[in-house]
């Protein structure tokens, strides 16, 4: 099985997102929520009928989402060549 979902969860969490996993006992396929929960980064483990209410509550809260600032690398020689300072 692939790990795309787990990698996506990690990316969402790294960007300051809120991560919900479906509870194992409410899932037809245990592997998917089990993999998510095993990451240790899940904020809430809920049955599907509880998820919408939690998402609405989260979106109305005052929780600030992190801003990701990309790290830019550069080649010193190229910078000198095109610098006008």
């Amino acid at each position: 099985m692939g790990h795309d979902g787990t990698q996506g969860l990690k990316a969402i969490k790294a960007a300051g997102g809120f991560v919900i996993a479906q509870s194992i006992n409410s899932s037809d396929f245990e592997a998917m929520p089990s993999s998510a929960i095993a990451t240790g980064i899940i904020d809430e483990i809920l049955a599907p009928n509880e998820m919408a209410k939690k998402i609405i509550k989260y979106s109305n809260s005052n929780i600030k989402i992190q801003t990701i600032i990309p790290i830019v690398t550069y080649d010193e020689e190229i910078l000198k060549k095109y610098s006008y300072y």
Side-chain angles (χ1 to χ4, degrees), residues 4-83:
D4 292 346
T6 302
Q7 294 303 317
L9 292 175
K10 290 178 180 178
I12 290 167
K13 193 66 175 176
F18 183 70
V19 182
I20 298 174
Q22 182 175 355
S23 59
I24 294 171
N25 61 350
S26 71
S27 175
D28 291 335
F29 304 99
E30 290 183 15
M32 289 171 46
S34 295
S35 178
I37 293 165
T39 65
I41 60 170
I42 302 300
D43 294 302
E44 296 280 346
I45 302 170
L46 303 168
N49 63 340
E50 300 171 315
M51 290 181 178
K53 192 182 306 184
K54 182 58 81 168
I55 292 167
I56 291 168
K57 183 177 179 180
Y58 176 79
S59 68
N60 290 332
S61 72
N62 291 325
I63 297 172
K64 303 293 182 210
I65 298 175
Q66 296 173 335
T67 302
I68 303 299
I69 300 171
I71 298 171
V72 179
T73 59
Y74 59 88
D75 182 304
E76 188 72 32
E77 293 303 313
I78 292 174
L79 187 62
K80 287 178 185 177
K81 182 177 179 179
Y82 294 101
S83 177

